[in-house]
Amino acid sequence: MTEDHQNHDEREAVVEGVGKAQASRRRFLQVLGAATATAATSQADAAPWEDFFQQHYKRLTDDEKRQIFARLEAQVQDKYGVAVRISDPKPIDGVEFAYALNLQACVGCRRCEYACAQENNTSRSPELHYIRVLQMDKGSLDVERSNTTYEGAVPTAEHYYQPVQCHQCRDAPCVRACPVNATWAEPDGIVVVDYNWCIGCRYCEAACPYFARRFNYEEPTVRPSEINPDQGYLSNRLRPRGVMEKCTYCLHRTRKGLMPACLEACPTGSRKFGNLLDPNSEVRQVIETKRVYILHEDAGTNPRFYYYFG
Amino acid sequence: MRDGYAFVRASLGAVMHGSSAYYRWLAFLGVWMLLGCAAATYQFANGLGVSNLTDQVPWGVYIANFSFLVGLAAASVLVVIPAYVYRDAALYDISLLGELLAVAAMVMSLLFIVVDLGHPELFWHLVPSLGILNFPQSMLAWDVVVINGYLFINAYVVSYLLFSKYRGRVPDKRWYMPVLLLGVVWAVGIHTIPAFLYASLGGRPFWHSAVLAPRFLASAFVSGPSLLIIVLTVVRDQMHFPVRDEALQRLRQIVGVAAVLNLFLTVSEIFVEIYPGTSHSASMRYILVGLHGHNLLVPYIWTGIALSVFAAVVFLARPLYSRPKLLLAACAGAVIGVWIEKGMGLVIPGFIPTSLGEIVEYSPSFIEFCVSAGIWAIGAFLYTLMLKVAVPIELGTLRLPGVSHERVGLHPLRGAA
Ligand code: SF4
Ligand code: SF4
């Protein structure tokens, strides 16, 4: 199947049940958008309206996507004076991503947490991090007794460390919760958010059993010099205020064959990432040969994130 | 058509004229409405960062009020069922006031959802076809459907009844009975779906309980009729609307039973959570006694429980409830008690501790307080205006010119009075 075809099928799948009104609705919105755009005096004035009328990601044609990416790039240029590239790498057939994390090796240095923030352009003030590293008491697997604000030299003799981020659940409560389908699981298993479609109700955040979702209560701020210009539309592009965001296993990297930023930053090799469907992948080897467990298994989320010892 | 125009004009006339107490009341609400609008504008311009919400506690006083208000709408179904299904004449006389209360409650709960959104201007994403409504997967989508539906049902029924009576006609059952009965069925949804919004979240042990929906129902049956008793007393004294004592007593019986049931369900929940002492009981311990020194809401919840117990005792003991002042106090206590328990008392502990064990407390910011007060003022304002139109029509003093000022349809079940 060509990429275009696949795209098209996906789009069809979304509008299923919505009926044939799609074409006319799109035309309606376009006319409305165009009318307001011409009413506005300059291109810059028109942008808010185009933002406002933008359709759901899965309803956009490739042409519309190109225009939107260009508009978003121009907005960043305007605001930060930085040239960024917004791309949209597609999920690859036959790939399902999964993560495995070695609890025996992790030392709690939080390098993954900060590398993630840099890679994903998350707000520095207020500080917003996707990864939480829990300091766990030895002798307990109960995360509710953990400490997330530990300081000082690590590791200590009494503790072990457990980083937690989005588990890219197979039965994701967040996806089910979202009233407008602004968040969904891609075919390669990555749960994404369309930041222009999210209405900011935070029901997904209430639903997530891993405290993995983050809301931009305030305008996210990143210093221009620190902006990562290599951006994915569904992952690390700069977010607006009032929307939800989360870890995407760095899909703008991993779909191109690179490793997630957190893995690359880890000095202990505790993090293993790869294609679950490939019998030779490291992550698959870990799951098959090590003692593996799942956090909050009772929540029924079937995550694509595994902890192991060894 | 012309009648419709006259109806609108007459309604406008009715709300424009009133006693000085009426104007003072509207002015009082107006001040709060202005304050609320200013606060909401400020929040819209600056984002939800002006609230005290966090990633740890993403829902606060807005969603708390929302949960309470959907329950308040029970004032409607609890008078409609006895009035129309069991032909209780005393409640029939006042059923319209109950339905209007539901209209006001639905408007307020929708407003509370809107102000809670990070992007309220994008609400069109919820409109099917234009946007995407994730129905039936998302419980929030269900809520949007049931609340809008209930608003429409009640608004339609009262508009039709009032318009007919205004024209001096006996309302035609075929035009309102089917919708009214749909409303009775719909009421089941309106009181359980909001509970499922919480109970469906498997990752939040505090909410993930089968008894939550029955608790919602029981507490709604307390708060709705209790508030209605207060309203009826005011309407009787201020607007000379003939409210029979039987109506008040019937409502008092309903809230008496519901209050006991509500307390019983609450106690069962507390027992099941606390006695085994599993780690899932942390939220319950947080709200009742505090957790690791965090106890911001403890005095708050105990105030609510005390008020609920006080109300239940008064509702059930004849020497107490036969004193009108005490009955009113009990009603107020019951409403506030449920507001505490089904509001912040339910929403906040669900997030404490988080699923990773963090404890971050929450209390509303000044802006959140003003916005909430503003929405309450809007609801009270709306309800007052609606009463101002409905009461004279029910009394027969507001009629289409040329139509006899006879009271129409106060007892249509036994023919016009
Ligand atoms: S971990 Fe949370 S955010 Fe990630 S897929 Fe699961 S429920 Fe959704
Ligand atoms: S916050 Fe956004 S992504 Fe989350 S449920 Fe609401 S609309 Fe969906």
Side-chain angles (χ1 to χ4, degrees):
Chain A
M1 213 197 292
T2 67
E3 220 175 71
D4 261 345
H5 256 109
Q6 194 184 335
N7 238 332
H8 186 71
D9 286 349
E10 255 179 60
R11 254 200 326 273
E12 286 302 314
V14 171
V15 292
E16 190 190 358
V18 174
K20 304 262 176 302
Q22 192 200 354
S24 62
R25 179 195 47 241
R26 178 177 301 136
R27 221 172 312 118
F28 166 74
L29 287 174
Q30 267 167 359
V31 171
L32 217 55
T36 44
T38 39
T41 45
S42 74
Q43 195 53 35
D45 286 348
W49 290 105
E50 286 173 13
D51 279 339
F52 179 74
F53 286 114
Q54 186 177 318
Q55 259 297 345
H56 189 281
Y57 171 84
K58 293 198 196 181
R59 283 172 171 175
L60 299 171
T61 64
D62 286 346
D63 245 10
E64 287 167 328
K65 278 184 196 165
R66 263 193 296 279
Q67 285 171 19
I68 289 166
F69 298 173
R71 190 185 80 228
L72 294 172
E73 286 167 359
Q75 283 172 0
V76 179
Q77 180 67 261
D78 260 15
K79 189 171 165 197
Y80 296 92
V82 178
V84 301
R85 242 173 7 269
I86 296 181
S87 64
D88 186 30
K90 295 284 180 318
I92 305 157
D93 270 342
V95 172
E96 181 183 344
F97 288 121
Y99 222 125
L101 200 147
N102 186 352
L103 288 179
Q104 210 145 326
C106 174
V107 292
C109 67
R110 292 201 182 107
R111 279 195 212 169
C112 53
E113 186 177 330
Y114 285 90
C116 167
Q118 252 162 36
E119 175 65 33
N120 288 298
N121 294 313
T122 61
S123 176
R124 307 297 149 80
S125 165
E127 201 171 46
L128 187 156
H129 287 172
Y130 294 160
I131 301 176
R132 269 280 196 283
V133 183
L134 314 184
Q135 187 177 52
M136 306 280 292
D137 291 342
K138 281 188 176 162
S140 167
L141 283 174
D142 187 357
V143 291
E144 293 195 354
R145 289 164 56 180
S146 70
N147 173 9
T148 54
T149 54
Y150 64 90
E151 309 221 9
V154 288
T156 72
E158 303 82 43
H159 300 105
Y160 70 102
Y161 298 85
Q162 179 162 21
V164 183
Q165 64 212 71
C166 173
H167 279 37
Q168 321 292 353
C169 310
R170 291 182 181 83
D171 298 304
C174 57
V175 170
R176 230 180 307 153
C178 179
V180 293
N181 279 356
T183 189
W184 66 90
E186 291 268 288
D188 56 1
I190 297 177
V191 173
V192 294
V193 181
D194 181 346
Y195 312 120
N196 283 48
W197 192 254
C198 169
I199 58 175
C201 68
R202 307 186 298 294
Y203 191 29
C204 56
E205 192 167 38
C208 173
Y210 301 100
F211 188 58
R213 304 183 74 95
R214 295 290 179 276
F215 188 70
N216 290 285
Y217 286 96
E218 287 174 36
E219 191 73 39
T221 54
V222 185
R223 248 184 253 122
S225 59
E226 291 177 9
I227 290 177
N228 174 4
D230 178 17
Q231 305 185 349
Y233 179 82
L234 292 175
S235 57
N236 64 336
R237 70 178 163 108
L238 290 154
R239 267 79 40 175
R241 186 182 74 203
V243 304
M244 199 56 75
E245 58 177 290
K246 62 182 280 298
C247 158
T248 58
Y249 282 176
C250 288
L251 66 80
H252 52 281
R253 297 170 56 90
T254 47
R255 283 180 182 173
K256 293 180 193 150
L258 299 170
M259 283 291 156
C262 47
L263 183 145
E264 296 213 324
C266 177
T268 61
S270 309
R271 290 172 166 267
K272 309 289 179 205
F273 179 84
N275 179 8
L276 205 56
L277 303 180
D278 172 4
N280 299 318
S281 69
E282 203 178 4
V283 71
R284 177 79 172 263
Q285 289 301 315
V286 166
I287 291 167
E288 277 173 10
T289 59
K290 304 286 185 190
R291 295 174 186 192
V292 170
Y293 91 97
I294 286 165
L295 181 59
H296 290 325
E297 193 170 4
D298 56 339
T301 48
N302 272 316
R304 294 184 180 87
F305 198 106
Y306 304 85
Y307 293 100
Y308 70 101
F309 303 92
Chain B
M1 195 58 220
R2 236 182 7 186
D3 288 1
Y5 179 64
F7 178 64
V8 172
R9 273 202 21 198
S11 308
L12 284 177
V15 300
M16 301 291 261
H17 300 100
S19 63
S20 64
Y22 171 70
Y23 289 127
R24 273 202 306 276
W25 170 237
L26 289 192
F28 168 76
L29 294 177
V31 170
W32 281 106
M33 279 158 68
L34 280 178
L35 197 65
C37 283
T41 312
Y42 180 76
Q43 179 189 299
F44 185 68
N46 294 285
L48 277 168
V50 303
S51 72
N52 278 350
L53 297 166
T54 52
D55 282 318
Q56 286 83 359
V57 184
W59 282 348
V61 69
Y62 297 152
I63 296 298
N65 274 301
F66 156 80
S67 307
F68 170 75
L69 281 163
V70 287
L72 202 63
S76 169
V77 69
L78 282 182
V79 290
V80 164
I81 293 180
Y84 289 88
V85 182
Y86 296 108
R87 314 201 158 192
D88 182 311
L91 286 183
Y92 182 84
D93 289 351
I94 54 102
S95 62
L96 223 97
L97 308 193
E99 287 166 88
L100 287 174
L101 186 55
V103 171
M106 291 298 98
V107 170
M108 283 188 272
S109 50
L110 284 174
L111 285 175
F112 272 114
I113 292 192
V114 170
V115 296
D116 187 63
L117 295 181
H119 281 280
E121 80 284 5
L122 295 182
F123 76 93
W124 68 269
H125 290 180
L126 285 161
V127 180
S129 179
L130 208 56
I132 300 171
L133 186 69
N134 185 16
F135 187 87
Q137 281 76 31
S138 168
M139 289 319 294
L140 196 53
W142 275 81
D143 265 294
V144 170
V145 171
V146 292
I147 293 170
N148 279 293
Y150 204 56
L151 174 59
F152 176 80
I153 288 170
N154 280 283
Y156 168 79
V157 170
V158 290
S159 314
Y160 175 75
L161 291 179
L162 286 174
F163 186 48
S164 305
K165 292 175 181 180
Y166 173 70
R167 292 193 299 170
R169 307 195 181 163
V170 177
D172 183 344
K173 273 194 186 176
R174 285 171 306 177
W175 278 96
Y176 71 94
M177 260 323 219
V179 185
L180 191 115
L181 292 176
L182 176 66
V184 171
V185 179
W186 207 274
V188 178
I190 196 86
H191 299 305
T192 47
I193 304 287
F196 291 161
L197 183 79
Y198 300 101
S200 63
L201 302 181
R204 304 275 175 192
F206 185 67
W207 298 333
H208 188 51
S209 149
V211 86
L212 197 67
R215 277 180 67 198
F216 261 68
L217 211 64
S219 62
F221 287 3
V222 175
S223 61
S226 292
L227 187 59
L228 196 56
I229 293 179
I230 300 176
V231 168
L232 290 174
T233 314
V234 174
V235 168
R236 180 162 67 179
D237 295 350
Q238 300 288 322
M239 301 171 93
H240 313 294
F241 188 74
V243 177
R244 304 191 208 181
D245 282 335
E246 289 122 277
L248 295 180
Q249 287 312 321
R250 200 85 76 238
L251 289 174
R252 198 260 316 147
Q253 284 162 358
I254 293 174
V255 289
V257 173
V260 172
L261 190 63
N262 187 39
L263 281 174
F264 170 69
L265 290 175
T266 308
V267 169
S268 314
E269 182 106 280
I270 292 176
F271 174 77
V272 169
E273 289 273 323
I274 296 293
Y275 185 85
T278 66
S279 61
H280 280 178
S281 68
S283 300
M284 187 61 92
R285 273 183 278 132
Y286 167 72
I287 189 78
L288 290 179
V289 293
L291 197 62
H292 307 308
H294 301 273
N295 49 17
L296 195 59
L297 288 184
V298 173
Y300 182 73
I301 198 74
W302 283 106
T303 310
I305 293 176
L307 286 170
S308 292
V309 172
F310 158 70
V313 170
V314 174
F315 289 148
L316 292 176
R318 180 194 283 276
L320 299 177
Y321 68 66
S322 50
R323 293 158 66 178
K325 285 243 170 65
L326 202 52
L327 179 62
L328 282 185
C331 287
V335 173
I336 298 170
V338 171
W339 181 72
I340 287 174
E341 179 213 337
K342 278 292 157 315
M344 295 227 304
L346 172 83
V347 175
I348 311 305
F351 296 111
I352 300 174
T354 71
S355 41
L356 297 186
E358 279 180 274
I359 299 178
V360 174
E361 300 198 275
Y362 163 89
S363 61
S365 72
F366 178 64
I367 295 292
E368 284 174 282
F369 172 81
C370 292
V371 171
S372 305
I375 293 178
W376 273 100
I378 290 175
F381 195 85
L382 190 69
Y383 191 46
T384 308
L385 298 193
M386 290 190 297
L387 287 179
K388 202 73 180 38
V389 175
V391 167
I393 292 183
E394 287 287 75
L395 287 174
T397 53
L398 187 65
R399 281 285 178 274
L400 190 66
V403 166
S404 99
H405 282 220
E406 199 184 337
R407 284 163 65 172
V408 181
L410 274 181
H411 309 288
L413 303 164
R414 283 176 252 124

